């Protein structure tokens, strides 16, 4: 009533405006839910438009709500796949467990690399190490976001029980090559890890897409969307790292390629173990 008196409006006019505003809000939220995890990842990773320091809290809460909306649908997609058969349930649980291990390890790769860079900074300063530290900060943030999403989807049998092992393995995989070879060692490692991860997600997405199309299930499609967004981010990490690797001569190329084989085989073995333990 006070609002009407202040603005000299009738009750019907105010009601119409409030209804229109509410409809716009609902349309906005529905659009955000359709974008789902894409919107959340886009605003929370280093690439794209970064969140400004002065951004209001309610906008941040809306972004979180978009993510939660999509993940809720994706969680129903997990249940839908499990309901298909015991074999499909076992397959999906194993794959989510491997994703859980992988995203945990990814976060700790960057933590290990940051520790190595800090250690190197105490003895000598390399301008390339500053760029590498920024690289770690940017991509670790995205991996942490992925981990939260996978933890939301993976429950019970869909979680690996070897989290302490994957944390240590990831940390050492980031620390050792960075400590020895500096930023170039970090970039080569991330490049090879992400090559494996992109293919790993692709195999899961292809199978889940078949289920989604066969059954016209929007929830399974939401699960595919979450995994696809993770894969897109991992491909960005791969390409970013690859663009920074410096290969001075043929011997350096041989070393990078040999290290790539070690990383790929190690990643494949870790994923297989995580599927069962």
């Amino acid at each position: 009533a006070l609002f009407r008196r202040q603005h000299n409006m009738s009750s019907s006019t105010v009601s119409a405006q409030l209804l229109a505003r509410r409809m716009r809000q609902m349309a906005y939220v529905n659009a955000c839910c359709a974008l789902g995890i894409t919107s959340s990842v886009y605003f929370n990773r280093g690439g794209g438009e970064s969140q400004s320091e002065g951004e209001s809290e309610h906008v941040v809460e809306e972004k979180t709500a978009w993510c939660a909306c999509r993940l809720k649908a994706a969680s129903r997609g997990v249940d839908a796949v499990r309901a298909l058969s015991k074999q499909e349930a076992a397959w999906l649980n194993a794959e989510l467990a491997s994703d859980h291990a992988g995203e945990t390890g990814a976060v700790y790769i960057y933590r290990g690399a940051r520790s190595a860079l800090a250690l190197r900074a105490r003895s000598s300063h390399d301008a390339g190490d500053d760029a590498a530290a920024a690289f770690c900060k940017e991509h670790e943030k995205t991996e942490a976001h992925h981990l939260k999403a996978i933890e939301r989807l993976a429950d019970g049998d869909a979680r690996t029980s070897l989290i302490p092992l994957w944390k240590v393995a990831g940390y050492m995989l980031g620390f050792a090559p960075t400590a020895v070879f500096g930023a170039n060692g970090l970039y080569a490692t991330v490049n090879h890890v992400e090559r494996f991860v992109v293919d790993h997600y692709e195999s899961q997405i292809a199978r889940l897409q078949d289920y989604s199309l066969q059954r016209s299930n929007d929830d399974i499609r939401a699960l595919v969307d979450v995994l696809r967004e993770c894969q897109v981010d991992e491909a960005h990490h791969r390409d970013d790292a690859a663009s920074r690797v410096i290969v001075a001569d043929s011997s350096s190329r041989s070393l990078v390629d040999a290290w790539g084989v070690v990383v790929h085989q190690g990643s494949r073995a870790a994923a297989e173990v995580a599927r069962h333990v």
Side-chain angles (χ1 to χ4, degrees), residues 56 132 243 259:
S56 61
S243 68
W259 179 235

Side-chain angles (χ1 to χ4, degrees), residues 44 121 140 189:
N44 282 286
E140 182 185 338
T189 299

Side-chain angles (χ1 to χ4, degrees), residues 86-225:
K86 290 183 178 180
Q87 291 78 10
E88 298 307 329
W91 170 79
L92 183 58
N93 286 343
E95 292 303 312
L96 288 176
S98 68
D99 294 343
H100 186 209
E103 296 298 349
T104 299
V107 170
Y108 277 82
I109 284 175
Y110 291 111
R111 291 184 182 180
R114 286 195 291 110
S115 294
L117 291 169
L119 184 64
R120 287 169 57 86
R122 294 173 189 171
S123 57
S124 61
H125 183 268
D126 186 335
D129 288 352
D130 292 337
F135 173 91
C136 288
K137 182 178 180 180
E138 174 186 341
H139 295 316
E140 182 185 338
K141 185 176 181 180
T142 306
E143 298 295 1
H145 184 81
H146 290 178
L147 180 57
K148 289 182 179 179
I150 295 300
E151 287 179 337
R152 174 73 181 270
L153 300 177
D155 58 350
D157 294 337
R159 288 198 178 194
T160 175
S161 61
L162 298 178
I163 287 299
L165 174 61
W166 306 132
K167 288 180 178 180
V168 172
Y171 187 92
M172 292 308 301
L173 185 57
F175 181 88
T178 307
V180 176
F181 299 106
N184 211 41
L186 166 64
Y187 300 142
T189 299
V190 171
N191 177 34
H192 290 301
V193 167
E194 297 296 19
R195 284 171 181 260
F196 170 82
V197 175
V198 169
D199 292 342
H200 176 76
Y201 273 126
E202 183 59 35
S203 64
Q204 297 174 356
I205 289 169
R207 186 162 173 171
L208 290 170
Q209 278 183 325
D210 288 341
Y211 297 152
S212 175
L213 293 173
Q214 291 169 8
R215 293 161 179 80
S216 299
N217 190 305
D218 289 337
D219 292 333
I220 298 178
R221 189 174 298 113
L223 174 59
V224 170
D225 289 344

Side-chain angles (χ1 to χ4, degrees), residues 252-264:
S252 297
R253 168 56 62 187
S254 298
L255 180 61
V256 169
D257 290 344
W259 179 235
V261 173
V262 173
V263 170
H264 185 274

